[in-house]
Amino acid sequence: MVTRVFTVDPLVPRGDLLRAAAEILRNGGLVAFPTETVYGLGADATSAAAVSRIFEAKGRPQDNPLIVHVHSYDAVPPLVAELPARAEVLMYRFWPGPLTLVLKKSRLVTENVSPGLATVGIRMPDHAVALNLIRLSGVPVAAPSANASGRPSPTSASHVLSDLGGKIEAVVDGGPCGIGVESTVLDLTVEPPAILRPGGTTREAVEEVLGDVVLDATVVNAGGPKSPGTKYRHYAPSARVFLVDPGRVPAGGLLRKFAAEFAARGHRVGVLASSEVLAEGGTSRKPTGEWDDQGTAWLDAGSERDLDEVAARLFDNLRRFDDLGADVVLAQVFPETGMGLAIMNRLLKAAEGRVLRSGS
Ligand code: TXA
Ligand code: MG
């Protein structure tokens, strides 16, 4: 199969191209499209055959449920068995935007969207391409991130094509995604509501509306999986990723020490460091993504004071280490406030929990 590429202006997408893409969705095909978080791989959520092709194309485990994307508030009631008042409050406050609400599902949601579960995750993306594509398709659109299962989520059409080119009918190229990490998944079927996956809507913002919410055990990396997807390896480049937690010692020095140790053992070491660390006197690391004579390559994660920037670049940075051929990646830790919670969740999963500290 040749994957068609529809290139559109993200702010003023061309109607004829979106209609062609919507037609593919209506006919049971797969179309990747940009959202404000990451690219999604869309299929008609009311068609079991279309939805099962998503799992095939991604190599996704069958028990990992999909998010259903809508373009209007009116599209929600038919998808759910009940719509609690607090769900509506959150919808009006945060939609369109990076918040997925887990609610009790109706029979309109085809079984394999959330196999074996009584619930469905729903969100309204904040992106003109996504909203218009869903509207033109006339159906709710099931869409996981448009990466091959286990890989970092795609934040550009080229990421999508490198994972899924030839396996899907089309990708709508609307340029890079703004937020760069996926939506926050909030379970409203439990008391208190639980964040199953931290993401583009911060915990703090949700708590301003709802009061206290809890972080599911899988977010803090322990216990049995509730969001079924969280038990699999995720967000990982080909390299083995290690988080480097400097504690009280300077981050730059510790990154250099571990990078030198791995390089001395013959590894090609990618280092993901903050702009501050890269600018430190004596670090003399060019964030050019080129190999230096020690066998290390440094990429700029973004500023420690601008975690939105770190999030926006995160998955592209992880994929760039693959392109460079790194076999070990050392990633600096970031504070777990605001967007930092989502950033650290993705990095910890990419690292499969491996953390290096001073003294280790
Ligand atoms: O920002 C996003 O959410 C992107 C864009 C494309 O919208 N989508 C995305 O989908 O990240 P995906 O499939 O890669 O991740 C969905 C996450 C998974 O961890 C899944 O287990 C969880 O949401 N999830 C979906 N439906 C659920 C449900 N009914 N109950 C519990 N967890 C659910
Ligand atoms: Mg995903």
Side-chain angles (χ1 to χ4, degrees):
M1 179 189 311
V2 176
T3 300
R4 295 172 70 186
V5 180
F6 299 108
T7 303
V8 299
D9 181 327
L11 298 177
V12 198
R14 263 174 59 184
D16 58 331
L17 297 182
L18 291 187
R19 272 191 293 278
E23 180 73 21
I24 295 172
L25 285 176
R26 259 201 313 279
N27 290 332
L30 301 182
V31 178
F33 59 93
T35 77
E36 80 283 28
T37 57
V38 301
Y39 273 71
L41 179 60
D44 176 355
T46 65
S47 161
V51 168
S52 73
R53 287 199 49 217
I54 288 181
F55 289 91
E56 235 171 82
K58 284 185 55 109
R60 181 177 176 107
Q62 297 286 339
D63 62 349
N64 190 1
L66 307 177
I67 295 169
V68 175
H69 295 65
V70 298
H71 78 280
S72 77
Y73 296 107
D74 292 344
V76 177
L79 296 171
V80 299
E82 60 191 54
L83 190 58
R86 65 185 181 191
E88 279 192 290
V89 171
L90 291 165
M91 285 159 54
Y92 286 111
R93 170 70 182 80
F94 292 108
W95 286 5
L99 179 66
T100 295
L101 301 177
V102 172
L103 297 162
K104 291 197 181 116
K105 71 181 176 187
S106 77
R107 286 220 284 253
L108 183 63
V109 181
T110 191
E111 167 59 21
N112 53 351
V113 164
S114 53
L117 299 177
T119 58
V120 60
I122 306 175
R123 87 175 191 99
M124 187 193 292
D126 186 12
H127 196 293
V129 172
L131 290 172
N132 282 298
L133 178 64
I134 299 163
R135 181 175 57 79
L136 290 166
S137 74
V139 291
V141 174
S145 50
N147 51 284
S149 191
R151 298 262 300 142
S153 294
T155 53
S156 72
S158 68
H159 295 165
V160 175
L161 287 167
S162 89
D163 281 17
L164 300 176
K167 297 182 173 169
I168 63 177
E169 275 77 8
V171 53
V172 183
D173 182 350
C177 302
I179 292 178
V181 295
E182 304 89 334
S183 63
T184 299
V185 179
L186 181 69
D187 188 350
L188 290 179
T189 69
V190 294
E191 194 52 53
I195 290 179
L196 304 182
R197 177 181 72 182
T201 301
T202 63
R203 175 187 193 167
E204 293 87 338
V206 171
E207 289 188 329
E208 259 175 43
V209 175
L210 285 189
D212 286 353
V213 299
V214 297
L215 291 182
D216 189 67
T218 55
V219 175
V220 283
N221 224 9
K226 175 73 187 291
S227 186
T230 54
K231 64 176 176 279
Y232 302 104
R233 183 162 189 253
H234 258 141
Y235 313 114
S238 309
R240 282 169 72 82
V241 179
F242 296 83
L243 273 169
V244 175
D245 183 354
R248 286 155 188 282
V249 310
L254 195 63
L255 285 167
R256 279 200 302 281
K257 168 180 151 339
F258 285 127
E261 283 175 15
F262 277 106
R265 281 185 265 143
H267 291 289
R268 311 258 292 168
V269 189
V271 187
L272 185 61
S274 69
S275 315
E276 285 81 4
V277 162
L278 289 164
E280 264 169 29
T283 305
S284 68
R285 300 293 169 192
K286 290 177 301 181
T288 55
E290 282 163 26
W291 293 108
D292 59 20
D293 46 21
Q294 292 169 27
T296 67
W298 295 61
L299 288 178
D300 187 354
S303 167
E304 289 162 28
R305 288 186 300 275
D306 184 359
L307 296 178
D308 290 352
E309 182 189 25
V310 175
R313 293 186 191 179
L314 181 65
F315 291 140
D316 186 59
N317 272 330
L318 292 178
R319 283 173 179 266
R320 282 176 65 189
F321 284 126
D322 274 352
D323 297 340
L324 282 163
D327 67 289
V328 166
V329 168
L330 305 179
Q332 184 182 340
V333 303
F334 287 89
E336 289 187 78
T337 54
M339 286 295 279
L341 189 62
I343 292 165
M344 285 299 292
N345 171 265
R346 304 306 187 270
L347 282 175
L348 256 176
K349 286 184 187 295
E352 299 173 283
R354 291 182 289 266
V355 184
L356 301 173
R357 297 187 168 79
S358 79
S360 50

